[in-house]
Amino acid sequence: MTNSINEITGADFILACGTNTADCHPVISYKVNQAVRKGAQLVVVDPRVTDFAMTASEHLQLKPGTDIALFNGMMNVIISEGLWNKEFVENRTEGFEALKEAVAKYTPEYAAEITGVPADKIREVARAYAKAEKATILYTMGVTQHTCGTHNVFAVANLAMLCGQIGRESTGVNPLRGQNNVQGACDMGALPNVLTGYQSVTDPAVREKFGKAWNCTISEKPGLTVGEMMSAAAHGDIKAMFIMGENPVLSDADAGHVVEGLKKLDFLVVQDIFLTETAQYADVVLPAACFAEKDGTFTNTERRVQRVRKAVEPPGQALADWEIICRLATAMGYPMSYASPSEIMDEIAGLTPSYGGISFARLEEKGIQWPCPTPDHPGTPFLHAEKFSRGLGKFNPVEHVPPDEAPDAEYPFILSTGRRLYHYHTGTMTRKGMLGEFFPADYLEISCEDAERLGINDGDKVRVATRRGAMEIAAKVTDTVPKGVLFTSFHFAETPVNMLTNPKFDAIAKIPELKVCAARVEKA
Amino acid sequence: MALVTVTIDGQTVQVPAGTSVLDAARSIGIKIPALCHDPDLTPVGACRLCVVEIENMRNLPASCVTTCTEGMVIRTNTEKVIEARRTILELLIANHPLDCLTCEKSGSCLLQEYCYEYGVTSDIYAGEKHSYPIEDSNPFYLRDMNKCIVCGRCIRACEEIVGKSILDFAYRGFNTKVGPFMDTPIGESECVYCGSCVAVCPTGALTEKDMVGKGRKWEAKKVKTVCPYCGTGCTIDLNVKDGKVIGVTGNPDGDVNGRFLCVKGRFGYQFIHSDKRLKTPLIKKDGVFKEATWDEALGLVASKLKEVKEKSGPDSIGFLSSARCTNEENYLLNKFARAVVGTNNIDHCARL
Amino acid sequence: MQLVRAHILVCGGTGCTSSGSKQVQDVLAKELEKHKLDKEVKIVETGCHGFCEMGPLVIVYPEGTFYVRVQAEDVPEIVEEHLLKGRIVTRLLYKAPVTEEQIPAYKEINFYKKQLRVALRNCGSINPEVIQEYIARGGYESLEKVLFEMTPEQVIDEIKRSGLRGRGGGGFPTGLKWEFCRRSPGDMKYIICNADEGDPGAFMDRSVLEGDPHSVIEGMAIGAYAIGAREGYIYCRAEYPLAIKRLKIAISQAEELGLLGENILGSGFSFDLHIKEGAGAFVCGEETALMASIEGRRGMPRVRPPFPAQSGLWGKPSNINNVETFANVPVIIKRGAEWFASMGTEKSKGTKVFALTGKVNNTGLVEVPMGITLREIIFDIGGGIVGGKKYKGVQIGGPSGGCIPAHLVDTPVDYESLIEAGAMMGSGGLVVMDETTCMVDLARFFLNFTQSESCGKCTPCREGTKRMLEILTRICNGQGVPEDIETLERLGRVIKSTALCGLGNTAPNPVLSTLRYFRHEYEAHIFEKRCPAHVCSALLVYSIDEEKCIGCGRCLRACPAGAITGEKKEPHKIDPEKCIKCGSCFEKCKQEAIIRS
């Protein structure tokens, strides 16, 4: 997030795109509620009529995969009506002319044709966003999980810069991240192309710094993403894998392909708290401590580094992940030893400018939002106040590109995936106990119109299939999805929807198109 | 900001204009009891326990909803005020089960605390009491409306914080009761079980079901940590007794959330002590996992990784790090992949 | 306009309608037609005359002959005798209580003679469903006057100088209230009419709405102009279907004539009026609860400040007055503040409508100048106590009011004097009590009402009135204990000083005022287990005076419990173990031999 979660309450206009905030980030939806109670306007962009969308003053129910057309349409209105923030565009950005040219053809009528959102609604929302004193954009995977995911984000950023709705309190472009420490994992260099704090492996100075600190040579060749690794495994190029606390068999697109890759490996190590679907394929399984059993830090979606504290002992011989890694490194001939995670953080701070001022001592009372370069720096609630990281903000004009798979005669539906309020990711944590008891199985959302046509009643078992696989699941006949769209979550091993999803990914961010694939459904 | 000067029990204090009499008094350490007041919710002045005497005002105004004005002279402990507060407590107790011996809330119940303070020991009216069945229609929390003092905090939390507005008052007079639309069981309502109502309830009317019988409130050690679910990063307190997490509560000082959480954060902790947890390293032999020692398991992993690295090069090994693990652990796995094995093949499920 | 030789006014208020005035009207129309009088005699259905007890009322003009309790079968006689032959049907005339003198003319009846009808000026005289009749009586002239000749400030000043105070209970100066709202910043403001008349027994607002809806609409339009509102609501309880129907007719007729809506009379001032039906909660008469109810929320009062004038309906500055208050406004504008202020006392100007009821000969709605004494209302207008019984006191102001005992019968009726006597004006309920009224039972009745109508928001009102009611019930059942009086006083004191809204603050009044003036009755119940008024059945003992009993056996046959025994012509006996204290024997005995103590 460019801005902080609590700043949302101060916004007077909230554009929530592709986020079912009330179910996936409930506490953030509380902030939205508080802003709305103070008079803010909430506009939700989502193909589904979620409970969250129902609370909005406007719900733009666009066709899946048409976000760019919508945003370009809004920018077309803003430019043609002269509503853009001239001062901001003049002083803080570059590339405006190119943007103007690119969005020229996206008249509201043209955008309406692509998105299915009425032209007048596009106009109204565009005007309101541009005229708002403090408008903030929230988005999640509904924007990013497309083959044009990066371009979708560019479109969002273009819109915010065009109206100067960034770099101030309660504005900004705010991706709401879906996992407790996904921000931290990225910050910590658990990515193939960057080291900690997004320092690129292709930068010799960075390699030298880390090589020296770690007493090694850093490879200059960017590594493979998870999807690429699975393909490489299937091809025999990756021979061994070490998986810590992940369950790609359920979570990754085209899971059949993942299983194929895992099976082909010579050696697979899985380190986790449960014997997950992925761990079943392992040669060695290492028992790890869970969050309640260890010390450390998580970084949340607003870049706030916060302390995780040990409350209870791990079960049996389970050890904290950091301890296991240290022991393994030592066993590999690379002695690694830390008295506590606090020492590890000190090492991170020494190598990572944005974490430079962070230490466990400082985190004792309150979390700190990076960038926090020095021990006396208070942290940064919102980014881009004076300038963007690259200096001037660059408009990246983008064009609407349809999703990789379009519905056709054989697969006439669009299948989209997401989450449920009561579960988290692959259900390993939430299916134990009360939540599992309350929400024991998933269902496939299908519109009343489609269900009637196919003779499907609420609760019927249906078979849903795509070019990659098929599964059986109970149908829920509902108004939540529009005609032609199916939806379910990826939380349940019994209904492994990722056996069906399309692994085709975005060329830049390598994110798979989980929000759109062509599917067929019939009564089982 | 403009300041106003008021006198409370003879002490003069300056407070920002707009400050309530209650907050002004509490700011100088004067205790005023209040049941319906909650700093996170709109003040409503319903329980009337926080009444005070203010010069030139008729009646006894509720301090939580009375704004300080310049020169106001306030008395918080006159005979009249004490009589009113004690009477109100007696009235609440007259319609309250006096089962503090077994009540889950005992020790953190505001009604109990104030009755202790004001010496209210028993039901002096011996009149009608409600006898509603205890509501048990969901796995997360219990509703014992016999213990409800109709302060309306739950209603306001549901509306003002969560934005769901599931609850409101129903019926009139003595029979006034909090409930969902048409007073159906919660299980039939649109409730999302975030437990915010439970978090603000001052009595034992709303309690976390799983915590019943697990220990007294004062016995649980609260360990401040971060919620393990979505990226919001709510600060939670793990309530620990005898080495077990017996419940989760929101941490009032949390940067993002305060006391408010969602259903997963508040009620999704039972996996911690699940008997399905992995307790020893496992090595697969002939397709079957066998328990192993750490030395055996790590020795095998180290030798296998070395072997593959030597035979096929570091880039034939891939690492998946975890968005669930700590920064320190992600850092170490990153270091392990790049420094120990020598590959940049490290990723995690950031895109999912 | 068609000229006719006679008008027959038939009351169409709720009271007369329920006693058969519709049938009277139907038969009248047929009879007129039968006698070919339909061209020369015109029937006018009017609003309430206030003398509902005597209904259905029929008045024949030009003589002004006042017929009471007219039934359909009486109509042919009225037509044949009065209209054809010019002879008054004396048997249908009003008979004065005590003197039994028959009084033919409306104006000569004591019930009306001492009244001064300002708010009720048109009630009973015009057809409320025809706007032209209201206009013919000078209606909407005041609105025209303010729109073209006065600034909003001048209107407020006029109302302030008139001394008009809120007729809904609080008695807050109306002009001042308007001024607060006018001065409150905001581009959107609302004017609201409180027509949620909830006091048991009070029905003056209903009568105004049914009998003269335009006076309220005109008053609201004037108020809207003064405060700067362009939208208004009439919050009327759904239990008043006739009032709502007539309001709807009146609003649409006013809109048709350009007296409501966009650009009224071309003045540039616009005003839209909506009706919101209440669902019958007493508490919705409290202004903040009323606004919550309009907004679609549960009707519960909230703390003031902020006052409605600062933040009212939907958070906008709003002004609320009740029906009677608004009905006074057009006359004040028309006849001037000085005229209005010439009536009443120094601090209470004008008139007030009361719903006179209880143990009094003439019951109904009466409008009197402020400052008139209770004695004049009860004995002159009301015609004294029924059956010549002893006057005990009067409960004024409904459940929020209090009782004033017989020795204070010369108390002037104005806001201050009533408060001083421990009662309040309230909405103007006036229940007269005689020696057969038990004051503990009366207090219990009102507490039962306030407890079941408490909104439940604040502890003292919700829980406190419950316990007071339990104690009162116990006392009436003969189970009172000595501490009860002290507990009642303490609860009363705490509820009065700590309840959130005015309804809670005043809820203990019926108990506190009866304790103040009739403490001995409480004591008799508690210590002597005796109800001095012989009302509380649990405390009654029935026995037979052997001296008086002639052994006729009436009581024996009447007793449903078989508690009476005795031989014919011998004195009978009551078995107190079997007696269920129903009082049947007492009523049947012609010898007054049954002793009730």
Side-chain angles (χ1 to χ4, degrees), chain C residues 109-121:
Chain C
I109 296 171
N110 267 341
F111 182 74
Y112 289 110
K113 218 158 55 180
K114 283 217 171 180
Q115 288 196 43
L116 184 57
R117 291 165 78 92
V118 175
L120 300 175
R121 61 196 176 280

Side-chain angles (χ1 to χ4, degrees), chain B residues 82-107:
Chain B
I82 303 298
E83 179 193 50
R85 287 186 192 156
R86 185 175 292 133
T87 303
I88 287 165
L89 287 169
E90 282 167 358
L91 286 170
L92 289 171
I93 284 301
N95 184 25
H96 198 87
L98 299 176
D99 64 348
C100 302
L101 287 177
T102 51
C103 180
E104 274 305 310
K105 199 74 178 195
S106 188

Side-chain angles (χ1 to χ4, degrees), chain B residues 44-48 51 58-61 65-67 80 83-88 90-92 94-95 124-130 149-151 159 168-176, chain C residues 279-283 297-298 300 302-305 450-460 462-467 470-471 474 487 490-491 493-501 505:
Chain B
V44 289
C47 73
R48 314 309 282 178
V51 291
R58 40 171 205 166
N59 298 337
L60 300 175
V65 286
T66 305
T67 306
K80 220 176 142 187
E83 179 193 50
R85 287 186 192 156
R86 185 175 292 133
T87 303
I88 287 165
E90 282 167 358
L91 286 170
L92 289 171
N95 184 25
I124 60 164
Y125 295 100
E128 188 187 344
K129 281 180 193 252
H130 289 306
I149 53 164
V150 204
C151 69
E159 180 182 347
D168 204 340
F169 297 106
Y171 313 107
R172 283 182 217 158
F174 183 65
N175 296 322
T176 306
Chain C
F282 176 65
V283 73
R297 293 183 289 121
R298 177 178 160 103
M300 282 178 123
R302 61 156 175 81
V303 174
R304 295 171 301 182
T450 40
Q451 157 59 210
S452 51
E453 289 295 339
S454 162
C455 82
K457 184 168 180 175
C458 76
T459 316
R462 182 185 69 243
E463 308 286 338
T465 57
K466 169 74 180 172
R467 300 309 162 199
E470 282 180 345
I471 294 169
R474 208 163 62 212
T487 310
R490 183 165 59 90
L491 281 173
R493 199 161 56 229
V494 170
I495 296 169
K496 206 179 161 109
S497 61
T498 64
L500 188 153
C501 78
N505 294 140

Side-chain angles (χ1 to χ4, degrees), chain B residues 25 30 43 46 81 120 142 145 152 167 185 212 247 279 287-289 300 302 347:
Chain B
I30 292 174
V81 167
V120 174
L142 293 170
M145 287 298 101
L167 300 170
V212 172
K279 296 178 192 73
V288 181
F289 284 118
L300 178 61
D347 199 6

Side-chain angles (χ1 to χ4, degrees), chain A residues 94-407:
Chain A
E94 60 187 357
F96 173 68
E97 286 307 320
L99 177 80
K100 191 174 169 185
E101 205 172 300
V103 303
K105 76 170 181 206
Y106 290 89
T107 61
E109 281 68 24
Y110 179 62
E113 210 174 288
I114 300 171
T115 60
V117 177
D120 281 345
K121 266 200 183 181
I122 297 175
R123 282 197 182 87
E124 273 172 42
V125 171
R127 288 171 191 146
Y129 176 81
K131 287 177 185 170
E133 194 191 321
K134 292 176 184 171
T136 182
I137 300 176
L138 311 179
Y139 70 89
T140 64
M141 297 304 193
V143 165
T144 55
Q145 283 177 343
H146 293 279
T147 45
C148 57
T150 308
H151 281 192
N152 282 347
V153 174
F154 284 166
V156 170
N158 288 344
L159 176 64
M161 289 195 297
L162 182 65
C163 299
Q165 301 286 19
I166 192 165
R168 286 179 291 128
E169 196 173 308
S170 300
T171 64
V173 172
N174 297 296
L176 312 180
R177 310 217 58 174
Q179 298 161 74
N180 57 326
N181 200 32
V182 67
Q183 183 67 52
C186 293
D187 296 348
M188 289 304 107
L191 292 170
N193 56 338
V194 290
L195 286 141
T196 65
Y198 309 95
Q199 302 174 82
S200 177
V201 294
T202 56
D203 181 340
V206 168
R207 286 202 305 276
E208 199 196 322
K209 178 170 85 172
F210 279 89
K212 209 164 146 193
W214 291 350
N215 191 23
C216 68
T217 311
I218 304 286
S219 166
E220 62 183 340
K221 188 179 136 209
L224 304 176
T225 64
V226 57
E228 291 167 335
M229 276 187 234
M230 293 304 170
S231 295
H235 287 119
D237 297 335
I238 290 276
K239 298 197 183 314
M241 280 190 78
F242 187 105
I243 300 180
M244 174 174 84
E246 298 249 310
N247 191 9
V249 167
L250 276 191
S251 65
D252 287 27
D254 194 6
H257 186 65
V258 172
V259 170
E260 191 192 332
L262 294 179
K263 277 185 173 165
K264 200 129 187 235
L265 289 172
D266 289 347
F267 189 64
L268 172 62
V269 185
V270 171
Q271 178 171 311
D272 213 317
I273 61 173
F274 289 105
L275 194 64
T276 62
E277 290 72 14
T278 302
Q280 306 281 358
Y281 297 97
D283 296 292
V284 176
V285 176
L286 304 175
C290 78
F291 83 107
E293 297 150 359
K294 61 190 176 187
D295 283 300
T297 58
F298 290 158
T299 303
N300 76 352
T301 187
E302 54 170 359
R303 301 166 277 105
R304 189 185 299 276
V305 186
Q306 305 189 98
R307 268 287 265 126
V308 174
R309 289 179 180 84
K310 179 172 176 173
V312 291
E313 289 300 327
Q317 301 171 42
L319 290 174
D321 295 273
W322 65 271
E323 291 175 290
I324 303 172
I325 300 166
C326 287
R327 286 208 202 180
L328 183 60
T330 309
M332 296 266 297
Y334 185 102
M336 213 186 248
S337 130
Y338 300 92
S340 71
S342 171
E343 269 186 38
I344 307 174
M345 180 51 84
D346 293 342
E347 186 175 315
I348 295 167
L351 287 165
T352 315
S354 55
Y355 278 64
I358 292 176
S359 65
F360 274 35
R362 282 192 70 188
L363 296 176
E364 198 50 41
E365 285 301 313
K366 287 264 168 198
I368 298 172
Q369 287 171 282
W370 64 256
C372 175
T374 56
D376 55 359
H377 190 284
T380 311
F382 60 90
L383 303 175
H384 317 310
E386 304 296 329
K387 61 180 180 65
F388 291 100
S389 2
R390 70 183 289 277
L392 290 178
K394 184 170 187 293
F395 286 110
N396 288 296
V398 286
E399 292 285 345
H400 166 66
V401 183
D404 180 56
E405 277 191 352

Side-chain angles (χ1 to χ4, degrees), chain C residues 404-440:
Chain C
I404 297 177
H407 72 268
L408 296 177
V409 73
D410 288 312
T411 303
V413 176
D414 60 60
Y415 292 102
E416 280 70 28
S417 309
L418 291 181
I419 297 256
E420 201 179 308
M424 65 185 277
M425 188 78 85
S427 57
L430 228 156
V431 186
V432 178
M433 297 162 295
D434 67 10
E435 56 195 313
T436 65
T437 312
C438 170
M439 302 314 274
V440 186

Side-chain angles (χ1 to χ4, degrees), chain C residues 526-553:
Chain C
I526 295 170
F527 298 109
E528 301 161 35
K529 304 297 175 203
R530 186 172 66 80
C531 172
H534 303 310
V535 170
C536 298
S537 59
L539 295 177
L540 298 181
V541 179
Y542 288 88
S543 58
I544 295 176
D545 184 342
E546 292 186 17
E547 304 277 299
K548 288 185 181 168
C549 179
I550 57 165
C552 69

